Amino acid sequence: MASISSTPLLNSTSLSPLRFPNFSSPSPFAGSCRFSHRNLGPSLSPAVNRSGGAIMAAASMQGVVTEAMSLIQTASPTWKSAVANNVLIFVLGSPLLVTGLSASGIAAAFLLGTLTWRAYGSAGFLLVAAYFVLGTAATKVKMSEKEAQGVAEKKKGRRGPRSVIGSSAAGCVCAVLSIYQVGGSAFSQLFRLGFVSSFCTKVSDTVSSEIGKAFGKTTYLATTFKIVPRGTEGAMSVEGTLAGLLASFFLASVGCFLGQITPPEAAVCVLASQIANLGESIIGASFQDKEGFKWLNNDVVNVINISLGSIVAILMQQFILQNWVK
C-alpha cells in the first residue's frame, strides 16, 4: 500500500501573506510637513500650526499602521507578528469575546492566541477560534432552562482564566514544544497532532455536556449505566454523545482543511477525543466530589481530559497509523 506522508497538507508558515493596500509609499504630506517646519517662523497663525500638527500626527499614525500591516503579512510567525495579529483580532472580535469570557478570561485567551499564532500561524489560530465559537454557542443553548434546573455554567457561561487554561493546557504545551523545536523535525508533526487533538477533545466534551443538559432525555452514569439527573458528574446521554462526536469531527475537518493534519490524522483525532471523553466521564463519576478528591475540580479534570486526547492521538499515530500506512 502506498505510504501516506505525515507532512501536513499545507504548512501554516507557507500560507500566502494577506494582501493589504500598500501603505509603504511616501506620504504626499511628508515633504510639505518638513518644509513648513523648517521655513515658517513664529508668525504662522495658530490655526495653521494646529493644521500642521494634525498632518504630522496623521503621518505618524500612518507609520504605525504600516508597521502593523507589515507584521500581519509576515510569512513566518514571530512573537511580534503574533502579538500584532492578536491585538487586531481581539479588538475586532471583542463583541463576541465578551459573550463567552470574563475580562480576566479574555486576558488568558489573548496569551493563548499569541502562543498559538507564534507556533502554528494563522491556521492554528483559526482552529482555536473555531473551537471557541462552537463551544460558546453550545453553552448558550437553552441557557435559561439549564439555569432553572441548576445545571448551567456560572456567570451565563462566561468563562474565567482557570477555565481557559484548563481547556488549553495540553495545546499550549504542544505549541511551546513546537516553537522551540524540541525533538527536531521528527517530532514537529506529532506536537501539531497533539495540539489539534486536544481541542477536538475539549470541544467534544463541551458540546456533549451542554447539548446533553439541554436535550438529553435520559442520562446514564458512565461507570454503572445507572440513570441519574442531568448535570451529574460523569453522566452521559445519547443526544450529548452524538453531538460531541459531530463537534469533534467538525473541528478535525477544520484542522485538516487548514493543513494542520492529514485526513488519517483527522480520524485519529476524532477517535482519540471519544476515548479521552469516556475516560473523563469515568474519572468524574468515580472520584470527582468524593471524599479525599476535593482537589479534583472541573479545571483539573479538563486538564486530564485534553491531555488524554493529545497523548492517545500521538500514540495512535505512532503505533497504529504508521504501521497501517506502510
Side-chain angles (χ1 to χ4, degrees):
M1 183 180 294
S3 64
I4 300 176
S5 171
S6 63
T7 304
L9 301 176
L10 176 63
N11 193 299
S12 62
T13 58
S14 66
L15 292 172
S16 299
L18 302 173
R19 299 299 180 187
F20 293 90
N22 182 11
F23 291 97
S24 59
S25 58
S27 167
F29 299 118
S32 61
C33 286
R34 286 194 298 270
F35 172 82
S36 300
H37 176 73
R38 189 170 53 244
N39 298 316
L40 297 180
S43 60
L44 192 65
S45 69
V48 175
N49 270 326
R50 286 194 297 271
S51 176
I55 292 173
M56 294 180 68
S60 177
M61 180 59 70
Q62 178 182 311
V64 173
V65 172
T66 300
E67 176 67 15
M69 293 301 130
S70 175
L71 289 172
I72 291 174
Q73 297 181 73
T74 301
S76 180
T78 64
W79 288 114
K80 286 178 66 178
S81 67
V83 172
N85 287 323
N86 271 274
V87 169
L88 178 62
I89 292 171
F90 270 61
V91 169
L92 295 177
S94 57
L96 176 61
L97 289 170
V98 297
T99 66
L101 297 169
S102 65
S104 54
I106 291 175
F110 182 85
L111 295 177
L112 167 63
T114 301
L115 183 63
T116 297
W117 198 297
R118 174 62 182 85
Y120 303 119
S122 58
F125 186 93
L126 287 174
L127 180 82
V128 177
Y131 150 75
F132 172 75
V133 171
L134 190 55
T136 300
T139 302
K140 301 297 184 182
V141 171
K142 289 193 174 183
M143 175 61 75
S144 58
E145 293 184 22
K146 287 187 283 191
E147 286 178 332
Q149 296 171 11
V151 297
E153 290 290 328
K154 299 177 181 178
K155 301 178 180 178
K156 298 287 184 181
R158 297 177 69 228
R159 303 176 188 271
R162 291 197 305 176
S163 180
V164 172
I165 295 170
S167 300
S168 63
C172 288
V173 170
C174 291
V176 169
L177 293 174
S178 294
I179 291 171
Y180 294 102
Q181 300 180 345
V182 176
S185 58
F187 286 83
S188 62
Q189 183 58 22
L190 288 178
F191 297 144
R192 191 185 296 267
L193 173 63
F195 175 85
V196 175
S197 185
S198 73
F199 286 102
C200 287
T201 300
K202 186 53 194 167
V203 78
S204 179
D205 175 52
T206 299
V207 171
S208 63
S209 175
E210 296 299 332
I211 297 302
K213 288 185 288 188
F215 298 103
K217 295 180 180 179
T218 307
T219 50
Y220 305 89
L221 204 60
T223 51
T224 64
F225 291 101
K226 177 183 176 182
I227 297 177
V228 293
R230 292 188 221 179
T232 302
E233 295 296 345
M236 304 172 64
S237 68
V238 173
E239 296 85 355
T241 301
L242 289 177
L245 177 63
L246 290 175
S248 177
F249 176 80
F250 170 78
L251 198 64
S253 300
V254 171
C256 185
F257 175 78
L258 293 172
Q260 296 295 289
I261 52 176
T262 64
E265 288 172 339
V268 164
C269 287
V270 174
L271 183 56
S273 70
Q274 301 312 297
I275 294 173
N277 285 339
L278 177 59
E280 187 253 5
S281 295
I282 293 173
I283 291 172
S286 302
F287 305 108
Q288 198 167 358
D289 294 332
K290 301 295 191 298
E291 189 64 32
F293 292 93
K294 297 300 182 182
W295 54 271
L296 194 65
N297 56 33
N298 283 334
D299 297 324
V300 175
V301 172
N302 282 339
V303 172
I304 295 173
N305 181 32
I306 60 177
S307 298
L308 277 175
S310 292
I311 293 169
V312 170
I314 290 172
L315 291 176
M316 289 178 67
Q317 198 279 343
Q318 287 292 283
F319 296 105
I320 298 178
L321 193 59
Q322 277 196 352
N323 294 327
W324 177 71
V325 299
K326 286 181 180 179

